[in-house]
Amino acid sequence: MRRPYRDGRAVRGRPHRDDLLIAAAGLLGGLVLWAVGLHTTPQGRPLSGAWVLLPMTVMAGLETLRRTTPRLTVILGTLALVADQFTTGSLATVVMFTDLMYAAVLYGTPAAARRIPWTTALITVAVTIGMVAWIHEVAALLLGVVTGLLSFAPATTGAVVRNHRDAAEAARLRAEQTALLAEIDRGQAVRAERARMARELHDMVANHLSAIAIHSTAALSLGDERTTRDALSVIRENSVEGLAEMRRLIGLLRDGSGDGEPAAAPTLRALDTLLEQARTNGASSGLAFTLDDRREDQPYNHHDHQDRQQDRQEEDPPAAPHSRTPGLPAPVELAAYRIVQESLTNALKHAAPGTVTVELARTKRALTVCVSSPFGEAPMVPGPRAPGSGAGLVGMRERVALLDGEFEAGPATTGDGTGKIWRVRAELPVTEGSGTA
């Protein structure tokens, strides 16, 4: 059911209950004044006696519409006040007119709220000057004062109250907008934290689970006892490591501390261990893994990198002999490690037999990570594969985007153009801004 009132105004033409009470009080007061014989002007007016009740009743009726049609009530109220001057007059009629003038500014349109105070001020000045010029007595100034009290004073009061009301409404809207923005920020922070947790959980556990899936399939499909024993050993090792990683992550999520000392973020120094695990897990699939680390400040040995090295030397001044580049920011090292880890996991799942190459290159501005794996139809035997969900590529892309880097992944051709590879390439800025990502 719709409310009959909104923001102090009546809607659909229904009078406000307060307006009905004001009209009743004004009419009752006027009747009491008329009954005891109190009038605003002496006897001898053209219309005397009960005629004073007519403009008073009209004014009381207009009070019921002071919020719904404020402009019309002021116009009709002015006519009723003029008519009241032809009678003996009633103070209740005058008081109700001042209330109509106040309501016209408070509840009227913004344009009316601006015009009415100026109009009443000009009327007050005009009446004062006209009466002084006509009567030529100082007492004529009282008529100007009365006009100001009847029109300008209530209009100014209404303008002041309206300004305070509008300021309070604006403050309320600002508070609501601030609360809404805070809720939006909280929701974005929650979504960002969930995405970060999903990336960490996937990167920490997917590698171990993929190895378990591959070797368990091998143990079930191959009848060789030695192969089965080796597969079970790999399964146990990856299960223990995966459970340890999961336990640390759950501990961090629960109380921020874990069961013991929190595990340090992995760095590129652990790539040898990561590749060794990949060699063990990918042996049954015909995969080999190599690392080509060119992070030293020295020329490349390959001819296809000579032009790039020359351009890089023109952009960056050469380093001192036998010097090493500064250390990488922690977020960059973590992102590079996770990209290599996920790329090796994807190679174990999908790559054709061949060599998977991990390349690292470093300049003063960026760290480049490139992982290439054979691309083609994977044989059915040997090398059982694990299904993929595509979350790894999404996580890698998100990590690079958080560091304002560049990422690309897809099929490509080898350097000699004789084969196809799947290449994952990420360029991670190593400027100061990347350390706070």
Side-chain angles (χ1 to χ4, degrees):
M1 182 176 179
R2 188 175 180 182
R3 291 185 177 181
Y5 312 112
R6 187 191 306 118
D7 298 333
R9 299 188 185 187
V11 297
R12 291 184 177 179
R14 298 180 59 179
H16 197 281
R17 56 179 177 273
D18 294 342
D19 297 341
L20 296 176
L21 294 177
I22 292 174
L27 182 60
L28 181 61
L31 292 175
V32 172
L33 293 176
W34 176 72
V36 298
L38 294 179
H39 304 284
T40 58
T41 57
Q43 298 292 334
R45 293 287 180 171
L47 300 174
S48 60
W51 284 101
V52 70
L53 299 178
L54 179 60
M56 181 178 62
T57 304
V58 173
M59 200 72 75
L62 295 176
E63 283 280 33
T64 62
L65 306 175
R66 61 196 290 271
R67 301 183 194 226
T68 56
T69 56
R71 181 184 299 181
L72 179 62
T73 57
V74 168
I75 296 175
L76 297 180
T78 302
L79 297 177
L81 183 65
V82 173
D84 185 65
Q85 304 306 309
F86 293 94
T87 67
T88 54
S90 175
L91 182 62
T93 303
V94 175
V95 173
M96 285 189 287
F97 174 78
T98 59
D99 181 67
L100 292 180
M101 187 67 67
Y102 167 83
V105 177
L106 182 60
Y107 302 113
T109 63
R114 291 190 299 268
R115 287 197 301 262
I116 291 178
W118 288 101
T119 303
T120 54
L122 293 176
I123 291 174
T124 301
V125 173
V127 168
T128 303
I129 295 176
M131 296 304 297
V132 170
W134 182 25
I135 301 178
H136 298 288
E137 293 182 5
V138 178
L141 295 175
L142 295 177
L143 295 177
V145 173
V146 172
T147 303
L149 292 177
L150 295 179
S151 59
F152 178 70
T156 304
T157 304
V160 172
V161 174
R162 180 175 183 134
N163 290 336
H164 283 288
R165 187 190 67 180
D166 292 344
E169 181 67 14
R172 184 185 65 82
L173 291 177
R174 284 195 300 269
E176 291 180 355
Q177 292 175 354
T178 302
L180 179 60
L181 292 176
E183 181 64 21
I184 293 175
D185 291 342
R186 188 192 69 82
Q188 292 177 346
V190 170
R191 288 191 294 271
E193 183 64 15
R194 287 179 177 176
R196 187 188 69 84
M197 291 165 55
R199 287 195 303 269
E200 292 297 325
L201 181 61
H202 179 274
D203 293 341
M204 292 170 62
V205 181
N207 186 37
H208 300 298
L209 294 182
S210 298
I212 292 173
I214 291 172
H215 288 278
S216 61
T217 306
L220 293 174
S221 60
L222 301 178
D224 184 61
E225 181 179 354
R226 181 176 180 181
T227 303
T228 302
R229 186 182 298 107
D230 293 340
L232 292 177
S233 299
V234 175
I235 289 173
R236 181 184 183 281
E237 179 182 353
N238 282 274
S239 300
V240 172
E241 293 179 0
L243 287 174
E245 295 286 353
M246 181 73 73
R247 189 179 299 111
R248 282 193 291 266
L249 180 59
I250 292 175
L252 290 173
L253 292 178
R254 282 181 174 175
D255 54 16
S257 62
D259 293 337
E261 292 294 328
T267 64
L268 294 179
R269 295 181 181 178
L271 285 184
D272 292 335
T273 303
L274 188 63
L275 287 172
E276 186 62 32
Q277 293 176 352
R279 292 188 186 98
T280 302
N281 297 331
S284 61
S285 301
L287 294 175
F289 298 85
T290 61
L291 174 62
D292 188 5
D293 191 351
R294 300 195 187 99
R295 284 179 294 164
E296 296 288 343
D297 276 340
Q298 57 186 5
Y300 291 163
N301 296 326
H302 294 75
H303 296 290
D304 56 348
H305 293 294
Q306 289 180 352
D307 294 338
R308 189 188 307 173
Q309 179 67 20
Q310 182 177 357
D311 296 339
R312 191 172 295 160
Q313 288 178 351
E314 292 176 359
E315 296 177 359
D316 303 329
H322 306 292
S323 65
R324 297 178 63 88
T325 54
L328 293 171
V332 174
E333 285 224 34
L334 177 60
Y337 179 89
R338 294 302 188 193
I339 290 172
V340 174
Q341 182 184 44
E342 180 58 27
S343 299
L344 296 180
T345 301
N346 289 340
L348 290 173
K349 294 178 181 179
H350 309 294
T355 301
V356 179
T357 303
V358 178
E359 299 180 12
L360 299 177
R362 165 73 189 275
T363 66
K364 289 185 177 180
R365 292 183 175 87
L367 171 69
T368 302
V369 180
C370 184
V371 182
S372 303
S373 58
F375 181 70
E377 293 293 333
M380 296 300 296
V381 180
R385 304 306 168 103
S389 62
L393 289 176
V394 175
M396 289 190 287
R397 194 178 302 275
E398 289 177 350
R399 288 185 183 276
V400 176
L402 288 174
L403 296 174
D404 296 329
E406 297 179 1
F407 177 81
E408 59 182 9
T413 57
T414 57
D416 54 7
T418 59
K420 290 185 177 181
I421 58 174
W422 181 273
R423 175 180 296 164
V424 175
R425 184 180 182 276
E427 185 172 337
L428 306 174
V430 293
T431 56
E432 294 181 357
S434 63
T436 59

